[in-house]
C-alpha cells in the first residue's frame, strides 16, 4: 500500500490487512517543524455536541487477551446532541495515551504528549438533548484508540445521532481506566497467529452486543435513544467487525466498513440488511484486497461500494488532521486531510440518514460532480 505520509511517519498504518503489524515510518518522509496543537474541524450539523465516558465490565466472559483477568472491561465514549454551548472541552487523549501511541507507532517527530493537546469540539459531560435519536456504534482500527475517530463522532452527534465509540481493551496501544490503570496492546503479540483477524472480529462483535445490552442501565441519557434504529461504522478491523456484529446481532440494522479487510464470512444464503463499503484504492474490484469482491456477491439487500480517489488507509480517521501537529508533510497526490474528513463525514452521514432516518439520499445513487473523488464500484473502479 502506498502510505499516506502523515500515517506512515505518523500513526502506525495497518498495511496489507486490517490487523497487520504497523508499518515503520517511511524513509522518504518529509518532516517539518510541528505546527502546534491540532484542532479538529468543526462539526457540520446544527447541534452542539456533548460527550461522556462509560466504563463497563462483562463478568460473563474472560478477557480474550489478558489471561490474568476473568472479566472483560470496556471504555465506551458517547457523543450526543446537547443544548449546552459553554463548558470544558473534552480532552482528545491523555498525555500517557499520546506517549504510548506515538512510541508504538515509531514517531519521534514531535513531543510524545503532542496528541493530548489536540482541541476537540465536544463539551465534557454536557446534558444530552433531543429524543428518539438513532444510535451509531463506532469501532476503531487495530492498535488505534477510539479517539482517532473523534472528528467523525462529533460530526454525527451534531447531526442528531448518539454515537457510542468502543475502546476494545488490549487491542490498542493505550486504554485508560478510572483507577489510573493503562491497558496496553496485548493483542499486538498475537497478530501474526493463524486466524487472528477472524477471532478478533468475533470478540469485537461480543463487545458491541454487551454494550448494547448495558447502555440502557449505564447511561442516564439512554432514554433518548430509539433502539429500533442502530447502525455500526468502523475503520480497518473495526469496519470488518461491523459485518461480524451484524451477523450475530439483529439489533444492528445497517453497517459501514471503512477500508477494512473482511474477515466475517457471510452465509451462502446471503445477507439482506443495508451495508456499505467505503475505502481506498486497495479495495477496487479485482485489486489486491479481494474480500470485498467476495462479499459483494453475497449482499442481497441495499448495498454500495465506494472508493475515494487518493485516499489511504487512514484517510477515514483523524490521522491526516494531526499531521501538521506532528511535523509531517503529506505526499503529493494524496487526498488532503480536510477533504478526506469532508468526504468521510458526508458519505457516512448520507448512509445513516437514509437507513436510520428514512431520508432518501440521491448522493448514494450515482456519482456527484461535487464529490468527483467518489467512484462507485465495482464497474467504475475496476483494477486496471
Amino acid at each position: 500500500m502506498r502510505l499516506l505520509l502523515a500515517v506512515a511517519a505518523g500513526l502506525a498504518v495497518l498495511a496489507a490487512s486490517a490487523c497487520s503489524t504497523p508499518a515503520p515510518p517511511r524513509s522518504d518522509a518529509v518532516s517539518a517543524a510541528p505546527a502546534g496543537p491540532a484542532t479538529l474541524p468543526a462539526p457540520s450539523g446544527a447541534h452542539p455536541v456533548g460527550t461522556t465516558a462509560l466504563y463497563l465490565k462483562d463478568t460473563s466472559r474472560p478477557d480474550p487477551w489478558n489471561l490474568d483477568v476473568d472479566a472483560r472491561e470496556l471504555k465506551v465514549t458517547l457523543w450526543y446532541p446537547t443544548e449546552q454551548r459553554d463548558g470544558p472541552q473534552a480532552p482528545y487523549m491523555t498525555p500517557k495515551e499520546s506517549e504510548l501511541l506515538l512510541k508504538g507507532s515509531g514517531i519521534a517527530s514531535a513531543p510524545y504528549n503532542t496528541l493530548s493537546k489536540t482541541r476537540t469540539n465536544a463539551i465534557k459531560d454536557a446534558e444530552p438533548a433531543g429524543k428518539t435519536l438513532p444510535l451509531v456504534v463506532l469501532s476503531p482500527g487495530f492498535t488505534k484508540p477510539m479517539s482517532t475517530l473523534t472528528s467523525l463522532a462529533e460530526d454525527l452527534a451534531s447531526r442528531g445521532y448518539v454515537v457510542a465509540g468502543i475502546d476494545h481493551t488490549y487491542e490498542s496501544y493505550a486504554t485508560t481506566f478510572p483507577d489510573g490503570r493503562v491497558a496496553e496492546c496485548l493483542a499486538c503479540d498475537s497478530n501474526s497467529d493463524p486466524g487472528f483477524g477472524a477471532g478478533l472480529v468475533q470478540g469485537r462483535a461480543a463487545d458491541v452486543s454487551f454494550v448494547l445490552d448495558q447502555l440502557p442501565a449505564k447511561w442516564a441519557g439512554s432514554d433518548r435513544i430509539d433502539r429500533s434504529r442502530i447502525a455500526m461504522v468502523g475503520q480497518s478491523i473495526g469496519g470488518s467487525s461491523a459485518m461480524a456484529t451484524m451477523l450475530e446481532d439483529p439489533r444492528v440494522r445497517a453497517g459501514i466498513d471503512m477500508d477494512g479487510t473482511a474477515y466475517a464470512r457471510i452465509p451462502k444464503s446471503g445477507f439482506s440488511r443495508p451495508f456499505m463499503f467505503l475505502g481506498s484504492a486497495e479495495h477496487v474490484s479485482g485489486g489486491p484486497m479481494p474480500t470485498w469482491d467476495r462479499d459483494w456477491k453475497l449482499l442481497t439487500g441495499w448495498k454500495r461500494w465506494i472508493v475515494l480517489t487518493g485516499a489511504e488507509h487512514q484517510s477515514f480517521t483523524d490521522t491526516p488532521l494531526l499531521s501538521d501537529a506532528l511535523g509531517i508533510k503529506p505526499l503529493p497526490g494524496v487526498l488532503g486531510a480536510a477533504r478526506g474528513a469532508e468526504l468521510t463525514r458526508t458519505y457516512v452521514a448520507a448512509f445513516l440518514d437514509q437507513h436510520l432516518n428514512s431520508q432518501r439520499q440521491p448522493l448514494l445513487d450515482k456519482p456527484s460532480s461535487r464529490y468527483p473523488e467518489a467512484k462507485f464500484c465495482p464497474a467504475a473502479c475496476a483494477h486496471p
Side-chain angles (χ1 to χ4, degrees):
M1 177 185 295
R2 186 169 67 95
L3 301 176
L4 170 62
L5 187 53
V7 176
L11 296 176
V13 164
L14 304 178
S17 75
C19 59
S20 59
T21 303
R26 281 182 53 151
S27 60
D28 60 350
V30 179
S31 298
T39 299
L40 298 181
S44 62
H47 305 284
V49 178
T51 186
T52 194
L54 305 178
Y55 298 90
L56 308 178
K57 182 178 287 189
D58 184 356
T59 58
S60 71
R61 58 189 172 120
D63 191 277
W65 310 114
N66 188 343
L67 302 182
D68 295 327
V69 299
D70 57 5
R72 178 71 164 157
E73 291 184 87
L74 296 171
K75 177 185 177 183
V76 180
T77 305
L78 299 172
W79 290 266
Y80 45 84
T82 182
E83 294 180 355
Q84 186 175 330
R85 296 185 177 274
D86 297 313
Q89 300 300 115
Y92 188 70
M93 63 177 65
T94 70
K96 185 63 175 179
E97 289 168 341
S98 176
E99 177 185 351
L100 290 172
L101 179 56
L102 295 188
K103 284 183 175 179
S105 304
I107 304 164
S109 55
Y112 283 134
N113 67 346
T114 294
L115 297 181
S116 69
K117 299 177 181 180
T118 301
R119 301 185 183 99
T120 71
N121 299 282
I123 299 171
K124 184 178 180 182
D125 297 325
E127 182 71 18
K131 58 183 179 179
T132 61
L133 304 173
L135 173 67
V136 181
V137 178
L138 283 187
S139 184
F142 186 59
T143 76
K144 302 300 186 292
M146 182 55 229
S147 53
T148 56
L149 295 178
T150 297
S151 176
L152 176 60
E154 290 182 340
D155 190 67
L156 291 174
S158 78
R159 295 172 183 255
Y161 292 90
V162 175
V163 179
I166 303 176
D167 273 292
H168 303 276
T169 313
Y170 302 117
E171 296 173 20
S172 74
Y173 287 125
T175 302
T176 303
F177 289 99
D179 60 5
R181 287 176 297 127
V182 179
E184 299 187 36
C185 189
L186 298 182
C188 289
D189 297 331
S190 304
N191 71 339
S192 60
D193 293 350
F196 175 80
L200 189 145
V201 299
Q202 288 302 310
R204 289 199 175 194
D207 287 348
V208 174
S209 291
F210 174 70
V211 169
L212 295 181
D213 290 342
Q214 293 291 303
L215 197 54
K218 299 300 184 180
W219 183 44
S222 63
D223 59 343
R224 302 174 186 274
I225 296 173
D226 179 354
R227 295 179 63 80
S228 70
R229 294 188 291 155
I230 300 174
M232 183 171 173
V233 181
Q235 187 267 342
S236 192
I237 199 71
S240 310
S241 302
M243 176 55 73
T245 299
M246 293 177 72
L247 289 168
E248 298 292 333
D249 197 324
R251 291 174 293 184
V252 183
R253 282 178 43 178
I256 301 176
D257 178 349
M258 299 190 299
D259 216 49
T261 298
Y263 287 100
R265 299 307 295 266
I266 299 173
K268 291 182 179 179
S269 57
F271 185 82
S272 61
R273 273 173 275 164
F275 201 82
M276 183 167 77
F277 294 119
L278 180 65
S280 67
E282 293 292 319
H283 288 286
V284 297
S285 181
M289 307 298 286
T291 59
W292 288 11
D293 278 294
R294 179 197 70 203
D295 286 1
W296 181 255
K297 301 170 186 176
L298 297 171
L299 296 175
T300 58
W302 189 101
K303 60 183 179 180
R304 292 293 183 272
W305 176 354
I306 299 174
V307 164
L308 301 183
T309 303
E312 300 284 356
H313 190 54
Q314 297 294 334
S315 293
F316 309 94
T317 75
D318 296 345
T319 299
L321 300 169
L322 306 173
S323 58
D324 285 347
L326 294 171
I328 305 299
K329 293 183 178 180
L331 288 170
V334 169
L335 189 64
R339 185 62 169 176
E342 179 186 6
L343 287 161
T344 300
R345 290 172 161 194
T346 297
Y347 279 92
V348 169
F351 174 90
L352 297 172
D353 284 346
Q354 177 152 321
H355 296 292
L356 296 188
N357 291 329
S358 300
Q359 299 171 355
R360 185 172 174 274
Q361 301 293 311
L363 179 69
L364 299 175
D365 292 335
K366 60 183 180 180
S368 166
S369 59
R370 185 174 180 184
Y371 303 110
E373 300 94 336
K375 308 298 182 185
F376 283 61
C377 301
C381 59
H383 188 64

